Amino acid sequence: MSTSYGESELAEVPVRLAVESDRLGDVTATTSPFDAVETETDGGTLSDGAARAADSTTITLWNKWTESAELLEPGMELLVTDAEEDEFRGEQRYATTGDSYVVVAPSFHVNVTAIRNWVECPRLYYLNKLSGVPLNYPVVKGTLVHEVFGDLLRGRDLEESIDARVEERGLELGLLGETADAVAEDVRENAKAIEGWLEQGRLTEEERATAADNSERAFTPAESSWRSEQLLISETFGIRGRADAIRRGAPVELKTGKNLKKEPRFKDKVQAACYALLLEEHGGDVDTGTLLYTKNSALDRNEETGDLTPAKEFSMGDGLLKFVVRLRNELAAMEVAGDVPTGYEGSAKCEYCFEQDTCMVVSGRLDQESKAGQIGQALPAEEREYFERFSRAIEAERRAVHREFAKLWEQDARERADDDRALIDLAFVESTELAEGRWELRARRPGGATSKLREGDLVLASDGHPVRGSAELARIERLDEDELVLTADEPVEVTRLDVYPSELTTDRLLAALHDALLKGDERRKDVLFDRAEPAFEPLEETFIPNNDAQDEAVRKAVGADDCALIHGPPGTGKTYTIARAIRAMVERGERVLLSAFTNRAVDNALEALLDQLEGEIGEDSVASPAQRNGDGEAVDVVRVGSESGVREDMQPYRLDRAGEPGERAATLQNAQVVAATTATCGSRVMKEQRFDAALVDEAAQLTEPGTHAAINLADWFVLVGDHEQLPPVVQSEGRTRRVSSGANGDEPRAADLTESLFERLVDLYPGAGVMLTKQYRMNQRIQAFASQEFYDGELRPATGDVAGRTLDDLSGVTRDDLPTELRGAVTFVDVDGDGSRYTDSEEAARIAEMVEEFRAAGLSPADIGVIAPFRAQVSELSKHVPAEVAVDTVDRFQGSSQEVIIVSFTATDSLEGPIFDDYRRINVALTRPKRALVLVGDANALATDPVYSRMLEWARR
DNA sequence: GCTCTGCGCAGAGGA
């Protein structure tokens, strides 16, 4: 339209106002679901919907912000800063002003590097996201130079820093075939440029003069208003990122490359501008940015200015900052809508792009629209459908991570603490500077506070608010009952810790999916997509003489050409079977990967393997990384994982990443058995490894992409699990499924992430599977219901001893000392319950009495486990029973067992809720005990469901 | 409505 300033474009966006923002003049709104569609079709006029809500209004976006208006889809969030408010026909309306920013989907947090990739080409951004960055030298070197730069800013000595940083990356460098000396020299060259420039900069600063006058020593860079590697999060702009350095409030970005042009590269400017926006929100007023190109040396004079320095300063105008926000809007809108970029969104020319070939191949194989065009033949339809289905599911997981992130400010401290996502009300004790210039922070925690935070986790440590207050990304070094110790780049007077949500796992899942389909072996895909039956090499050998099913399982695992599936119900010795199979493979000279979803499962399986090797082959038959002697006598076993993830007794086998490169790499590459979680299998280092076989334990707890991360690394795979126990936990969709014996197969099956590859293949290829049926855990009476209900009656006690186990077998225990109702192997105790939703104090009190009764009969509290469906009831129960009693949720009890198990159903009157819908959960709960099971709950509630009702009948028999 | 484990975070560079 025409205005007094000339022609202007505008877009009127019908919205529903959200809660007013804290900042004056900012408007947060959601685009109206119906009106927005109409505006699109009738060219910008606001239609007056009949059912207009009271909070409906219009926001007018002027000029270039109309570009962002085009991205909006019904229901998307929109934030306008410094909006103008006026009244029109009795209605408050809003419009952008010259100072306004328009932010689309502000709660979706875009990484700064994502924006940097996007500005180069949206399709390039997508390709990077899809395949991940492989292990290569330029990238590792770049990271090293950045680390050394950070160290210099924190006042660390150059040579000391280089040595330490190179050593830390020994494993990666070794896998790349680099030597420590060569890398150190390479890093030194780059770092010299920085150091020289830093020195020069320091001399010009006033502080330098003052320092020289007042003291013997020079100020460290940090004291001269520098700071390094700050994580910045913007609530307003929906951006997060870590600035290499900030000098007098302005961003400094380091690039380990050469740039002899007058101007910094555009994408580098965009990156710096992102940090400027972040700094602005944190109270800064930024108009310049600096880029440091470390390969620019004195020999390469700047072509125009003749500069010798590697630094390029540039001014950042309003226009650049707003352009960056519009870029970010494009990316966020695409992510929120779940679309795939084509490349047409940007202006890059494909002919100049050196990823052009990859881009065309990926587009061709996945049949995706692409500016570069397609090359080669598309994947078969079922593979493309699979890719789409799973990538959509992974992206939904990614959005769930982003929602978690947005909660950092959407929830207040108390809510987050109640959600176990934060530790609050900490008492700050002290911060101490460490030798490397980092800081150690100490605080006391109030007694009894729980959270999901654990040692080794990355957290946001703040003095009150993780985003608005002063906050640092910190690592939890120690988390004791009453005290905690953190390390961080800068000191913070920490009073609160928040979980820092990460996209790392979703990134790795997506890359695993990509690798399975685009890099995967054709024969493997034939099996995965039901185009070829798994093949087996027939073996005559007997591996486990006293258990036919286990023996058959080992033969299948060892003889598999493609895959073998071992179905192991509770207590059937699946971990032992895996260990036996691995031993057989190692004896055949094969290299084996041992994996599982959780660290706990990996360590359990590894422990069984070590027992197997040492017990059967003899002492000294296993070599941990430290004991390796390379003489081939002992089996080299390596556990890959973080220090905090690996169990204490498995630490000797853990591969340290730091050390002499060649030696580190050899330790990993020569290991015959490598054990790691599936997430670690998706890491850059593990992706460089190849194995003959991959054995995945607890495979029913894994999503299909999660399973691929492990099995992509091996020629054939063995999945071991039980799909009648709990499935993978997925944040994005609350899918549940009713499972019961046989007949009840009419319920819609969950697709995507909640069905494991294990389960799908078991259904697809019954011949490739073996079910273990002898259980070594439960008294016959205990196992009867689960066997009938979940395993078609096939689960049986392995021996008469197992079948006849009772509490009397335990030393010092006399069943006759127990009240009559607790003497049986299975009992039901009817408690009406207090009617609350997720807790039940009556059940808790009754269970506390029982624990006392068991104790009085001679049972050790350490032999008793209490299981509840809800965490709230778990903490209620913990208050009532002695600390030695293991109290936990069903989900967390999976994989372990106890002599006595008491189950607290925590349901009064009805059985509403997804927790009871999934019958696999009761299967887990009922199959944990060896000798006695006590069910405590409201019989009326349990009787409302057919499965629970049958359970009642069995328990009362 | 509920269960909840992983992961060197985000970003390193190439032409």
Side-chain angles (χ1 to χ4, degrees):
Chain A
M1 69 178 288
S2 284
T3 68
S4 50
Y5 307 104
E7 287 295 308
S8 290
E9 282 188 55
L10 79 142
E12 291 193 326
V13 183
V15 295
R16 301 222 160 129
L17 287 187
V19 187
E20 285 279 343
S21 179
D22 296 354
R23 264 175 39 180
L24 202 66
D26 291 0
V27 185
T28 315
T30 310
T31 52
S32 301
F34 304 111
D35 296 353
V37 177
E38 287 192 51
T39 339
E40 230 176 61
T41 51
D42 62 21
T45 49
L46 177 67
S47 71
D48 246 338
R52 179 144 214 190
D55 54 359
S56 291
T57 182
T58 309
I59 302 180
T60 304
L61 308 185
W62 286 97
N63 299 319
K64 293 229 170 173
W65 294 119
T66 55
E67 289 173 23
S68 289
E70 284 168 24
L71 304 167
L72 292 167
E73 286 186 17
M76 261 186 201
E77 235 187 304
L78 180 70
L79 181 145
V80 178
T81 68
D82 297 294
E84 194 171 59
E85 198 177 337
D86 78 289
E87 210 182 289
F88 179 74
R89 292 186 194 158
E91 174 186 277
Q92 286 304 116
R93 300 175 58 129
Y94 299 86
T96 57
T97 62
D99 295 329
S100 293
Y101 285 96
V102 174
V103 187
V104 173
S107 58
F108 189 91
H109 284 80
V110 181
N111 287 346
V112 170
T113 35
I115 300 174
R116 180 173 191 259
N117 287 335
W118 182 273
V119 68
E120 200 167 8
C121 171
R123 188 76 190 155
L124 188 68
Y125 159 80
Y126 177 74
L127 293 175
N128 279 343
K129 184 170 93 163
L130 200 57
S131 59
V133 180
L135 185 65
N136 63 4
Y137 182 61
V139 170
V140 177
K141 186 190 77 180
T143 309
L144 278 167
V145 174
H146 276 76
E147 287 168 347
V148 170
F149 177 50
D151 284 347
L152 288 176
L153 293 185
R154 288 187 292 267
R156 197 177 191 184
D157 174 70
L158 178 67
E159 288 304 321
E160 183 198 311
S161 164
I162 292 175
D163 287 348
R165 297 302 191 169
V166 169
E167 165 151 12
E168 273 171 28
R169 293 194 177 265
L171 178 59
E172 285 170 305
L173 293 171
L175 290 172
L176 288 164
E178 300 288 335
T179 65
D181 288 347
V183 175
E185 183 49 38
D186 205 358
V187 172
R188 192 173 294 119
E189 257 175 51
N190 285 274
K192 283 282 186 210
I194 310 167
E195 206 191 22
W197 179 75
L198 276 178
E199 200 52 48
Q200 202 180 25
R202 235 177 285 167
L203 287 169
T204 63
E205 284 174 23
E206 264 182 62
E207 295 96 336
R208 174 71 178 150
T210 325
D213 290 347
N214 298 342
S215 74
E216 294 294 301
R217 69 183 183 96
F219 276 151
T220 65
E223 288 166 308
S224 317
S225 66
W226 274 92
R227 79 145 289 178
S228 70
E229 296 179 58
Q230 186 171 21
L231 177 74
L232 296 156
I233 299 168
S234 165
E235 189 179 339
T236 307
F237 301 115
I239 300 178
R240 66 175 191 248
R242 197 168 66 181
D244 286 341
I246 294 147
R247 186 182 53 159
R248 284 189 235 105
V252 178
E253 187 52 34
L254 183 68
K255 295 291 160 199
T256 324
K258 195 182 276 233
N259 179 2
L260 301 179
K261 304 256 170 60
K262 184 182 167 210
E263 284 280 300
R265 274 187 291 257
F266 188 57
K267 63 178 179 182
D268 296 343
K269 282 190 182 182
V270 165
Q271 189 174 2
C274 286
Y275 297 125
L277 282 167
L278 289 163
L279 289 166
E280 241 175 50
E281 177 156 349
H282 287 257
D285 182 19
V286 186
D287 51 14
T288 61
T290 306
L291 280 151
L292 276 175
Y293 293 97
T294 59
K295 274 201 188 150
N296 287 6
S297 70
L299 298 172
D300 309 309
R301 279 174 184 272
N302 182 299
E303 62 192 18
E304 297 200 17
T305 61
D307 270 353
L308 301 182
T309 76
K312 294 178 194 302
E313 272 197 17
F314 72 104
S315 64
M316 283 185 284
D318 217 29
L320 179 65
L321 297 181
K322 284 176 180 162
F323 171 77
V324 167
V325 171
R326 287 198 298 276
L327 277 179
R328 183 242 157 243
N329 287 346
E330 289 175 18
L331 205 168
M334 194 265 331
E335 289 282 359
V336 168
D339 295 338
V340 172
T342 59
Y344 289 111
E345 304 84 349
S347 55
K349 287 206 169 63
C350 298
E351 51 198 294
Y352 302 139
C353 175
F354 91 119
E355 292 286 6
Q356 189 186 6
D357 289 350
T358 316
C359 187
M360 292 173 76
V361 170
V362 170
S363 311
R365 303 226 77 192
L366 296 175
D367 193 25
Q368 291 174 337
E369 189 187 355
S370 156
K371 192 176 181 180
Q374 301 178 342
I375 201 168
Q377 189 159 15
L379 295 176
E382 66 270 23
E383 294 185 29
R384 276 181 284 134
E385 187 272 332
Y386 183 92
F387 173 82
E388 268 181 32
R389 197 154 49 89
F390 280 103
S391 56
R392 242 184 280 123
I394 294 167
E395 291 307 324
E397 278 298 282
R398 187 190 302 281
R399 288 191 290 273
V401 173
H402 281 258
R403 280 198 296 279
E404 244 346 275
F405 206 90
K407 283 185 189 161
L408 284 174
W409 48 87
E410 284 171 2
Q411 289 184 321
D412 66 28
R414 176 51 59 195
E415 277 177 292
R416 287 190 60 74
D418 289 345
D419 263 5
D420 290 338
R421 284 177 171 79
L423 277 176
I424 61 171
D425 301 330
L426 305 172
F428 174 68
V429 176
E430 59 176 356
S431 44
T432 325
E433 192 167 6
L434 300 170
E436 329 85 89
R438 279 173 56 88
W439 291 78
E440 183 184 88
L441 319 175
R442 279 169 188 274
R444 270 192 301 277
R445 55 192 288 214
T450 59
S451 81
K452 59 193 295 184
L453 297 173
R454 285 172 308 181
E455 283 180 3
D457 283 359
L458 274 173
V459 291
L460 283 167
S462 62
D463 62 357
H465 196 282
V467 179
R468 291 168 200 146
S470 141
E472 283 289 325
L473 194 60
R475 188 173 295 280
I476 303 180
E477 302 292 340
R478 247 187 39 228
L479 188 61
D480 295 339
E481 196 79 340
D482 53 351
E483 196 196 34
L484 60 96
V485 182
L486 310 161
T487 49
D489 279 344
E490 299 283 332
V492 189
E493 301 205 350
V494 52
T495 59
R496 170 176 169 182
L497 296 187
D498 282 82
V499 172
Y500 185 76
S502 158
E503 283 173 74
L504 190 92
T505 354
T506 43
D507 285 342
R508 287 187 179 174
L509 289 180
L510 194 61
L513 178 67
H514 166 270
D515 292 351
L517 292 179
L518 297 183
K519 293 182 171 173
D521 173 71
E522 285 304 318
R523 167 73 194 176
R524 164 71 55 86
K525 289 202 287 180
D526 286 345
V527 171
L528 291 177
F529 291 99
D530 197 15
R531 300 188 296 246
E533 282 274 331
F536 292 88
E537 171 195 335
L539 298 179
E540 299 298 321
E541 233 172 308
T542 297
F543 297 98
I544 303 178
N546 58 357
N547 187 321
D548 291 346
Q550 289 185 350
D551 191 43
E552 170 67 10
V554 175
R555 260 197 306 279
K556 279 229 152 76
V558 177
D561 285 339
D562 304 292
C563 67
L565 311 160
I566 304 174
H567 181 192
T572 52
K574 54 189 166 63
T575 308
Y576 172 78
T577 309
I578 294 178
R580 185 65 190 85
I582 295 179
R583 188 185 122 203
M585 291 173 186
V586 168
E587 283 166 354
R588 289 158 60 111
E590 287 155 354
R591 186 167 196 239
V592 183
L593 172 67
L594 171 60
S595 192
F597 179 56
T598 64
N599 276 305
R600 182 153 58 149
V602 171
D603 287 332
N604 282 342
L606 183 57
E607 183 183 15
L609 174 68
L610 297 172
D611 285 350
Q612 172 78 225
L613 293 173
E614 282 165 2
E616 301 294 324
I617 306 181
E619 295 281 325
D620 306 326
S621 61
V622 188
S624 66
Q627 301 162 331
R628 278 189 63 238
N629 57 16
D631 64 3
E633 291 284 311
V635 181
D636 291 326
V637 175
V638 162
R639 170 76 160 95
V640 181
S642 66
E643 194 182 344
S644 55
V646 176
R647 210 168 68 192
E648 194 59 43
D649 57 331
M650 293 298 143
Q651 290 290 339
Y653 296 91
R654 196 175 76 82
L655 179 67
D656 195 345
R657 281 187 290 236
E660 200 281 308
E663 188 266 331
R664 289 294 84 198
T667 304
L668 177 58
Q669 274 162 332
N670 297 336
Q672 282 141 288
V673 181
V674 177
T677 59
T678 50
T680 299
C681 289
S683 67
R684 285 196 311 192
V685 159
M686 283 300 288
K687 279 171 78 168
E688 298 291 309
Q689 300 297 306
R690 268 317 287 183
F691 299 90
D692 294 301
L695 283 92
V696 185
D697 199 2
E698 306 285 7
Q701 278 186 62
L702 276 165
T703 62
E704 290 212 23
T707 318
H708 288 310
I711 68 178
N712 280 343
L713 309 181
D715 292 345
W716 80 89
F717 61 90
V718 182
L719 303 182
V720 188
D722 181 11
H723 48 280
E724 298 297 345
Q725 295 185 57
L726 289 167
V729 173
V730 170
Q731 295 190 37
S732 52
E733 53 219 89
R735 285 213 170 91
T736 53
R737 179 168 61 132
R738 289 191 172 250
V739 179
S740 75
S741 63
N744 192 10
D746 295 330
E747 293 288 334
R749 301 208 97 199
D752 301 349
L753 292 176
T754 49
E755 190 194 22
S756 61
L757 179 64
F758 173 75
E759 182 171 10
R760 184 165 73 83
L761 294 182
V762 164
D763 287 350
L764 204 53
Y765 305 118
V770 179
M771 178 169 162
L772 308 181
T773 51
K774 289 185 184 175
Q775 62 86 10
Y776 297 83
R777 178 183 298 162
M778 296 161 273
N779 163 293
Q780 181 146 25
R781 178 102 168 79
I782 296 175
Q783 64 124 59
F785 177 77
S787 177
Q788 200 53 47
E789 199 73 26
F790 300 102
Y791 306 104
D792 293 327
E794 285 185 47
L795 187 60
R796 284 180 295 269
T799 63
D801 283 355
V802 172
R805 300 187 146 161
T806 68
L807 292 173
D808 285 326
D809 310 336
L810 300 174
S811 69
V813 183
T814 315
R815 256 195 307 165
D816 289 343
D817 292 348
L818 282 167
T820 340
E821 59 167 8
L822 294 180
R823 285 181 201 166
V826 182
T827 42
F828 177 77
V829 178
D830 196 352
V831 174
D832 282 346
D834 70 359
S836 343
R837 190 104 202 225
Y838 305 119
T839 56
D840 197 311
S841 53
E842 285 179 33
E843 280 185 20
R846 184 70 189 87
I847 287 169
E849 285 171 29
M850 281 177 206
V851 169
E852 275 316 307
E853 287 160 356
F854 277 116
R855 272 176 74 160
L859 205 83
S860 155
D863 285 334
I864 306 174
V866 183
I867 303 184
F870 307 113
R871 286 194 20 184
Q873 178 70 352
V874 167
S875 57
E876 175 72 26
L877 284 159
S878 306
K879 290 179 205 152
H880 290 75
V881 301
E884 304 95 300
V885 175
V887 186
D888 226 323
T889 56
V890 187
D891 301 59
R892 290 213 270 211
F893 244 103
Q894 181 157 335
S896 62
S897 62
Q898 277 289 13
E899 301 296 345
V900 176
I901 287 286
I902 306 173
V903 181
S904 173
F905 281 97
T906 326
T908 312
D909 300 333
S910 74
L911 276 183
E912 265 174 64
I915 203 106
F916 297 107
D917 277 355
D918 198 328
Y919 298 138
R920 289 172 286 195
R921 201 164 259 115
I922 8 172
N923 184 27
V924 173
L926 303 186
T927 52
R928 298 308 101 193
K930 294 178 185 167
R931 298 182 150 81
L933 171 65
V934 186
L935 306 178
V936 183
D938 175 13
N940 293 330
L942 296 171
T944 58
D945 175 286
V947 175
Y948 285 82
S949 170
R950 286 199 289 277
M951 176 192 78
L952 261 183
E953 246 175 72
W954 154 73
R956 285 173 152 171
R957 211 173 287 154

